[in-house]
């Protein structure tokens, strides 16, 4: 196997180095391309472009493989927890008892927001989208820790990461309570990460939310399955901002904004809205599938398709099983689940989807679980953001720890007007 690629340009041959990943992915390193040939590459949507080398997450889209630091998602979802998996992603190894205890304690100690943050919540209208609040409040929270605002530094990384991972949950719960005109419920040290989030969301001053183990486990699994996914749109955004040496909270706030889009993390909200529309229309989904195939309809089968997975998203498989188990345990039947299953069966028999290798992705069934947990649909993408936070933090750390890290600054091919003079307004046609 050659470790160079030859490029023929204008009668000359250029050799470019070939890079192999630890899973034998191949890449042509083009770092010298412009200097040696004057050419750049062009790749709309970066479908063929690696922006970095990373040791965090591996995906094989053709085989439907997802591994965090080499460990299969199937094993982690069965044997690990969100916080243990967060430690694995951020620090590279599964923690021992002492490390997990220290990490968990750091999260507990940093769960509260600065008390003055409450005034910021007062400034949002009741119908403000919680993703807008989340991105704003992550940045606002950093203002109360001057050390956070400065240039990213390694010495303070652990406390900054713990504050962010812990407080993203508190901000999310506070925004939900505010939107419903409910009193704020503060984090309780007695509760672990996911249980504490449910407490802050659903407890009342006069009684704590009844934490059913299967409910806590289902939400913990949702967080774990969303924890990282190599260079997706929001993680690539976090790396873009981190490359300028901005602080961790600024990077995370940017990641929240990128995740919000309906083609990315906003899809879980869009899936439920799609299923509700189908349910209310009385259709079995057939009309919707026809519309999703029609380019002029502007509709897509939300929760289907993926830039990398050209096979079933392994997370969707796990969530689908968890969905059935949770609804059976809670004795809940959700007509939207039946519609989702019908849509999946119909789509996977339809050549339009099969020929384009469009399968259910992580967002297709996750909303059904969140509905069963009582989480309102406008909070679904916020749940995704909480889950993705360890991945964003891990990618930030990878740049922070890289002494050769450079600012991300893509090139472009200019297609605008060529040279022309300024024309005074009286002379313009
Ligand atoms: C996430 O990157 C990640 O890892 C993301 C994520 C993560 O964990 O971070 O996995 C989370 O964002 C999952 C994706 C959630 N989004 C959706 O479910 C929205 C619906 N899906 C599509 O918008 C689309 O599939 C994307 C955005 C997910 C992927 O888009 P691509 O890779 O740019 O693919 P494409 O638009 O070029 O589609 C190729 C073809 C097109 O048809 P043709 O031009 O070939 O005729 O497939 C069609 C598309 O029109 N197509 C769909 C479709 N998805 C693609 N047609 C109908 N319904 C769909 N859902």
């Amino acid at each position: 196997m050659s470790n160079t690629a030859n490029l023929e340009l204008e009668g000359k041959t250029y050799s470019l180095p070939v890079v192999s990943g630890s899973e034998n992915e191949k890449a042509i390193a083009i770092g010298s391309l412009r200097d040696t040939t004057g050419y750049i590459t062009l790749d709309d949507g970066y479908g063929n472009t690696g922006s970095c080398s990373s040791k965090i997450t591996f995906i094989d889209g053709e085989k439907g493989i997802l591994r965090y630091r080499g460990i299969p998602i199937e094993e982690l979802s069965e044997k690990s927890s969100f916080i243990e998996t967060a430690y694995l992603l951020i620090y590279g190894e599964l923690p021992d008892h002492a490390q997990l205890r220290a990490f968990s304690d750091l999260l507990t100690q940093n769960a509260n927001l600065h008390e003055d943050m409450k005034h910021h919540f007062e400034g949002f209208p009741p119908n403000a989208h919680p993703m807008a609040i989340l991105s704003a409040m992550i940045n606002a929270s950093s203002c109360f820790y001057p050390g956070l605002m400065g240039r990213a530094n390694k010495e303070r990384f652990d406390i900054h990461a713990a504050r962010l991972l812990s407080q993203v949950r508190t901000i999310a719960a506070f925004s939900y309570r505010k939107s419903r005109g409910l009193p704020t419920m503060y984090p309780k040290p007695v509760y672990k990460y996911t249980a504490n989030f449910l407490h802050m969301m659903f407890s009342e001053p006069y009684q704590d939310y009844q934490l059913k183990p299967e409910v806590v486990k289902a939400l913990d699994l949702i967080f774990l399955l969303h924890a990282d996914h190599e260079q997706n749109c929001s993680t690539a955004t976090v790396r873009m901002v981190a490359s300028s040496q901005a602080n961790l909270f600024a990077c995370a706030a940017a990641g929240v904004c990128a995740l919000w889009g309906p083609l990315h993390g906003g899809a879980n909200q869009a899936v439920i809205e799609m299923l509700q529309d189908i349910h209310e229309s009385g259709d079995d989904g057939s009309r919707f599938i026809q519309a999703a195939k029609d380019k002029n309809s502007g509709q897509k089968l939300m929760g289907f398709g993926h830039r990398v997975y050209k096979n079933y998203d392994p997370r969707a498989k796990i969530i689908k099983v968890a969905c059935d188990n949770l609804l059976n345990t809670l004795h809940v039947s959700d007509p939207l689940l039946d519609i989702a299953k019908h849509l999946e069966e119909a789509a996977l028999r339809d050549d339009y989807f099969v020929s384009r290798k469009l399968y259910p992705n992580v967002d297709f069934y996750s909303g059904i679980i969140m509905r069963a947990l009582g989480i309102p649909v406008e909070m679904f993408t916020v749940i995704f953001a909480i889950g993705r936070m360890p991945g964003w933090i891990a990618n930030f750390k990878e740049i922070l720890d890289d002494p050769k890290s450079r600012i991300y600054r893509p090139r472009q091919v200019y297609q605008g007007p060529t040279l022309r003079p300024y024309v005074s307004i009286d002379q313009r046609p």
Side-chain angles (χ1 to χ4, degrees), residues 59 225-226 228-235 259 262-265 267-268 271 292-293 295 299-310 313 315 352-353 356 358 361-363 384 388:
I59 298 175
L225 291 171
H226 286 79
D228 195 45
H229 214 239
E230 57 144 86
Q231 299 310 310
N232 59 84
C233 178
S234 52
T235 301
L259 187 71
L263 294 189
H264 188 15
N268 54 22
V271 166
K293 291 158 62 177
K295 294 286 181 276
Q299 286 187 331
K300 287 185 182 286
L301 185 51
M302 300 311 277
F304 252 70
H306 201 277
R307 175 62 60 79
V308 175
Y309 289 123
K310 300 309 171 189
D313 183 331
R315 301 167 297 176
Y352 173 92
F353 296 94
R356 291 170 177 80
L358 302 177
N361 59 51
V362 67
D363 294 306
F384 193 147
R388 186 52 50 89

Side-chain angles (χ1 to χ4, degrees), residues 298-346:
Q299 286 187 331
K300 287 185 182 286
L301 185 51
M302 300 311 277
F304 252 70
H306 201 277
R307 175 62 60 79
V308 175
Y309 289 123
K310 300 309 171 189
N311 200 323
Y312 213 104
D313 183 331
R315 301 167 297 176
K317 278 184 192 165
I318 296 167
I319 289 178
K320 184 177 176 182
V321 171
C323 219
D324 278 329
N325 294 343
L326 180 71
L327 269 61
N328 290 337
T329 309
L330 298 179
H331 307 299
V332 167
S333 70
D334 187 344
L336 301 193
L337 178 58
D338 302 331
I339 293 173
K341 286 180 175 177
H342 174 78
L343 276 179
E344 177 189 346
E345 285 158 19

